[in-house]
Amino acid sequence: MADKQITLPAKLINGGIAGLIGVTCVFPIDLAKTRLQNQQNGQRMYTSMSDCLIKTIRSEGYFGMYRGAAVNLTLVTPEKAIKLAANDFFRHQLSKDGQKLTLPKEMLAGCGAGTCQVIVTTPMEMLKIQLQDAGRIAAQKKMLAAQAQLSAHGATQPSVEAPAAPRPTATQLMRDLLRNHGIAGLYNGLATLLRDVPFSIVYFPLFANLNQLGRPASEEKAPFYVSFLAGCVAGSAAAVAVNPCDVVKTRLQSLQRRVNEDTYSGFLDCARKIWQHEGPSAFLKGAYCRALVIAPLFGIAQVVYFLGIAESLLGLLQGPQA
């Protein structure tokens, strides 16, 4: 009975631990992905992930790569916990007499998990993207101001450094969104739903089947390295598959734009303008960054989850049973 009582808390703790470790490791790559995806034709500041990270360090310092990380670190625990626990819940509900789930049922369980996690991921992504993209916007303004100054006074005149605009904080952004748009402001760009649901539909069945291949016997758990590799492969494949939705989501959730950048009225309008103005390849912007983010993130998550770190911690807290 004790095992059943700690099952749900253990799943939530495992998801939280995995999320905190994973986000800390890969957040700079996620920042590069956001900035690359938000670039529009004629406004290209970065040519690649490495170029973006180098320029970020030069202009904002080392910790500039972690802008918005506090939001993720705060909300990744409930987000990962909901995702992993919900998938297990739906898989359990869809299984009959312990029989192996069919692929359609595995996909349905993943769909349920992705739908549940959007409750947390949409406001988390809204705030994170504004903070991550603030450096790109500030750098563009600085570059355009310098170009205008050179045009007006000639290249021989010494340039005057413009005062840096104050950088927004997550608290300020959340307060502004709630004041101007209400709670719906935090859920702007429900394209998160169109990204996370297909991602979970691809990820969870693919992971389960890859993990099953690595089990030495049907009744045993797969070794931890198999779970890690299965999480990495399944995460990368799912991330690349839904990257077009991620590009649209990032554009819709970015509130600050340059004067000559496109604005969008909705998901379809955004997708149409990207296709017309930037071509189909724009939908793959940041795809390799996202794969590099998701692979270790979900690999670490599955290792923590399958090793049962939380079960051990809870067992120590409960002490030996009489």
Side-chain angles (χ1 to χ4, degrees), residues 174-186:
M174 185 169 64
R175 189 165 51 238
D176 290 343
L177 284 168
L178 290 174
R179 183 173 60 246
N180 297 329
H181 304 286
I183 192 69
L186 290 174

Side-chain angles (χ1 to χ4, degrees), residues 277-317:
H277 301 163
E278 302 173 58
S281 62
F283 289 105
L284 292 177
K285 282 183 177 180
Y288 66 96
C289 292
R290 184 159 162 75
L292 289 174
V293 168
I294 295 296
L297 195 63
F298 278 83
I300 291 167
Q302 293 299 346
V303 170
V304 172
Y305 198 55
F306 275 82
L307 287 178
I309 292 174
E311 286 86 343
S312 301
L313 291 174
L314 291 171
L316 289 173
L317 291 173

